[in-house]
Amino acid sequence: MIKFLDLKAINDSFEPELSQAVKRVINSGWYLLGKENEAFEQEYASFIGTKHCIGVGNGLDALRLIFKAYIEMGIMQEGDEVIVPANTYIASILAISDNRLIPVLVEPDINTYNIDPFLVEEKITKRTKAIMIVHLYGQNAMNAEIQTLAYKHNLKIIEDNAQAVGCFYADIRTGSLGDAAGHSFYPGKNLGAIGDGGAVTCNNEKLASVIRALANYGSTKKYVNDYQGLNSRLDEIQAAFLRVKLKRLDADNQRRREIAQYYIENIVHPNIILPFAKGQKQITNSHIFHLFVIRTPQRDQLQQYLTKNGIQTLIHYPIPPHKQLAYMEWNGMSFPVTEKIHNEVLSLPISPVMTDIEVRKVTEILRTFVTLK
């Protein structure tokens, strides 16, 4: 069986450094908000290209804290609107509604699966305060149109960079493009911890200070609480793990691009739509391929065929946010592009530890898929 993502093999490839990192933390006797966290925040901010990084408990909290901080700072208030792609993992939207802000859904571009910038302006009202761009599947979602709209309407740009750590827009890394960005270090991410973890990056000192306090019970000084905060902290062991893995991230992302390039050049099937369907064939650093997502109307049939032939796949994601019970008030809404994507996408195995033999097998099995009439 070719696993969708072999986390054990990935983590084994970092030994003995990971085990040494655990031992270092255990022997230090300090397990939260210590030297490992401080070092990781500095290293990660430098990697992303921002002045500030705040380690937090997970990627959802990273986004929640950004909006919560803007509310504390008086820049946003309950009832304000945030534009967000309709085609995203639900966490992007949960972060908005959790702060009693109103998510305004916008359809994606069918070719990139990222928010369609030409559909954004019609959704902007006097209550709109921000645009959240989601670098979905590892592909940059920023473009000149989004930047122009944000400037024209005085909107914040919030990046959901959970799936795109190490990705670039021109020569600038995602996570440093907007006003603030949320990052996830869930184990399956390109930069994955051995448990939950996340971070916020930004360049605004006041914003960083408020987020750091909010993530620690609203406290800037022990037992002194300036805000009604929460408990969301990156622990020392996760920070130590991430420091080890960060050093190899660019090389690991490049290996993903190499696999994706092979897939794009060698998967030839009339009923399978590959990334860059408009004819772009050469992969650049604007995509780190956290996921390699194909699309076909025979998605379920193809997934069964691949499973039968020893290839594990996943669906990201089977149900769009507006059809989830959690947002029942949206269930009657129609987003045809989003719905088409969610009905047809299938994620193929891709990781830095995949062998060339495994990559070729996936490709060869896909070529032999026969669509049932």
Side-chain angles (χ1 to χ4, degrees):
M1 170 68 75
I2 297 176
K3 292 183 179 181
F4 176 76
L5 184 67
D6 192 338
L7 287 179
K8 184 178 186 303
I10 289 173
N11 289 327
D12 284 347
S13 74
F14 287 95
E15 289 294 0
E17 289 86 354
L18 288 185
S19 294
Q20 291 169 349
V22 175
K23 188 174 182 180
R24 185 171 71 242
V25 173
I26 292 172
N27 289 343
S28 75
W30 195 281
Y31 309 121
L32 282 170
L33 301 180
K35 291 181 179 179
E36 295 291 343
N37 224 307
E38 182 180 345
F40 172 71
E41 289 179 345
Q42 292 174 354
E43 291 161 7
Y44 193 67
S46 177
F47 177 84
I48 293 296
T50 56
K51 294 179 181 177
H52 304 285
C53 169
I54 305 97
V56 299
N58 54 69
L60 172 56
D61 279 0
L63 294 172
R64 289 172 65 209
L65 285 161
I66 291 169
F67 290 115
K68 191 172 178 64
Y70 276 132
I71 290 171
E72 290 287 357
M73 294 166 67
I75 293 170
M76 297 182 189
Q77 61 182 354
E78 291 184 13
D80 283 344
E81 297 173 350
V82 178
I83 288 173
V84 62
N87 174 47
T88 184
Y89 183 56
I90 200 168
S92 311
I93 296 168
L94 289 171
I96 300 168
S97 60
D98 183 68
N99 282 287
R100 293 183 173 84
L101 302 169
I102 299 173
V104 178
L105 307 184
V106 173
E107 286 268 55
D109 181 331
I110 192 66
N111 296 295
T112 65
Y113 309 135
N114 285 327
I115 193 167
D116 188 333
F118 300 104
L119 299 179
V120 171
E121 190 161 28
E122 65 189 47
K123 297 294 184 76
I124 295 174
T125 72
K126 63 182 181 180
R127 298 169 68 186
T128 307
K129 290 299 192 310
I131 302 172
M132 180 188 286
I133 57 172
V134 181
H135 305 295
L136 197 66
Y137 306 151
Q139 184 169 14
N140 165 61
M142 181 64 91
N143 50 56
E145 289 78 13
I146 294 287
Q147 292 173 312
T148 298
L149 285 175
Y151 180 78
K152 177 181 176 181
H153 296 280
N154 192 29
L155 304 177
K156 299 295 184 185
I157 295 179
I158 312 300
E159 295 176 78
D160 182 340
N161 201 48
Q163 298 186 8
V165 175
C167 180
F168 284 86
Y169 171 54
D171 59 349
I172 305 171
R173 290 195 195 266
T174 58
S176 66
L177 302 172
D179 295 279
H183 307 254
S184 170
F185 307 127
Y186 180 78
K189 296 296 195 293
N190 291 31
L191 179 63
I194 319 288
D196 274 322
V200 176
T201 55
C202 66
N203 287 313
N204 184 291
E205 186 170 351
K206 175 63 174 177
L207 177 64
S209 175
V210 175
I211 289 172
R212 190 175 296 281
L214 285 170
N216 188 33
Y217 299 98
S219 174
T220 53
K221 182 179 179 182
K222 195 167 186 177
Y223 304 131
V224 177
N225 302 83
D226 299 323
Y227 311 102
Q228 295 180 23
L230 48 102
N231 176 18
S232 182
R233 300 175 294 198
L234 185 67
D235 71 61
E236 287 286 279
I237 286 180
Q238 303 304 341
F241 281 152
L242 292 167
R243 292 183 67 199
V244 172
K245 291 187 169 185
L246 181 60
K247 296 172 185 176
R248 210 179 76 192
L249 181 59
D250 280 336
D252 284 349
N253 282 344
Q254 183 56 32
R255 174 57 181 162
R256 287 175 177 269
R257 292 190 190 100
E258 291 169 0
I259 294 169
Q261 187 73 59
Y262 187 89
Y263 279 159
I264 287 171
E265 292 175 355
N266 293 278
I267 297 173
V268 180
H269 195 287
N271 294 318
I272 294 176
I273 299 170
L274 300 171
F276 314 132
K278 279 188 172 181
Q280 180 185 346
K281 295 293 185 182
Q282 191 61 42
I283 291 170
T284 68
N285 62 7
S286 65
H287 203 324
I288 59 162
F289 285 94
H290 169 59
L291 300 172
F292 189 93
V293 179
I294 61 174
R295 192 159 52 83
T296 177
Q298 292 81 36
R299 190 261 307 284
D300 295 342
Q301 181 187 341
L302 176 57
Q303 185 175 42
Q304 291 168 10
Y305 179 77
L306 291 171
T307 301
K308 181 180 176 181
N309 284 276
I311 299 169
Q312 186 182 38
T313 59
L314 293 177
I315 299 170
H316 297 90
Y317 302 94
I319 305 172
H322 72 282
K323 295 297 183 182
Q324 297 282 0
L325 187 60
Y327 291 99
M328 190 184 302
E329 65 274 21
W330 294 345
N331 289 175
M333 298 175 73
S334 175
F335 292 94
V337 177
T338 294
E339 290 159 25
K340 182 178 182 64
I341 290 169
H342 285 253
N343 287 332
E344 295 183 351
V345 290
L346 186 66
S347 300
L348 301 182
I350 189 167
S351 82
V353 298
M354 272 189 81
T355 66
D356 290 345
I357 292 173
E358 290 174 325
V359 175
R360 285 196 296 270
K361 180 180 178 182
V362 172
T363 304
E364 290 162 5
I365 295 299
L366 279 166
R367 285 178 184 159
T368 63
F369 174 61
V370 177
T371 304
L372 296 177
K373 301 296 183 183

